[in-house]
């Protein structure tokens, strides 16, 4: 997770700057990274249709909007959640 840079105790002009920094970090560190990771997963799956894969990502890549799973689903991949203790 990226820390929230917005602080309501800041003067208004600094709040604007904090919002810009927050937006930049979310876009660059989360959304774009998830998109790159999703594209790498898709490339591996498409190039190796006869193989099975296990992908592990940090929890932050599954929270909120624009997750790695969102990227894959938007590309037409079917993604299923496997609960703990359930065989794969």
């Amino acid at each position: 997770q990226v820390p929230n840079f917005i602080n309501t105790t800041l003067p208004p002009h600094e709040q604007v700057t904090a919002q810009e920094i927050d937006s930049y970090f979310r876009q660059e560190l989360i959304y774009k990274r998830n998109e790159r990771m999703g594209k790498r997963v898709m490339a591996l799956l498409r190039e190796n249709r006869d193989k099975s894969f296990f992908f592990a990502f940090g929890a932050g890549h599954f929270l909120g909007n624009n997750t790695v799973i969102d990227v894959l689903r938007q590309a037409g991949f079917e993604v299923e959640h496997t609960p703990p203790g359930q065989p794969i």
Side-chain angles (χ1 to χ4, degrees):
Q1 288 294 87
V2 175
N4 189 339
F5 291 97
I6 302 167
N7 182 336
T8 57
T9 63
L10 294 172
H13 68 281
E14 289 182 13
Q15 285 186 25
V16 171
T17 302
Q19 177 65 47
E20 291 171 353
I21 292 169
D22 185 72
S23 295
Y24 173 81
F25 278 111
R26 286 186 194 290
Q27 186 66 33
E28 294 299 320
L29 294 180
I30 297 177
Y31 302 150
K32 285 186 180 180
R33 186 171 180 212
N34 284 347
E35 188 171 333
R36 284 191 306 269
M37 293 168 80
K39 286 181 179 180
R40 289 178 186 148
V41 167
M42 287 186 274
L44 283 169
L45 294 172
R46 287 179 176 144
E47 293 168 7
N48 301 283
R49 294 180 187 269
D50 59 329
K51 294 184 180 179
S52 296
F53 290 90
F54 175 85
F55 298 100
F57 301 98
H61 297 286
F62 297 101
L63 302 173
N65 298 319
N66 303 313
T67 66
V68 173
I69 291 173
D70 292 337
V71 170
L72 293 169
R73 285 184 173 150
Q74 289 168 2
F77 284 85
E78 183 179 330
V79 180
E80 290 183 32
H81 171 72
T82 304
Q86 181 178 334
I88 299 176

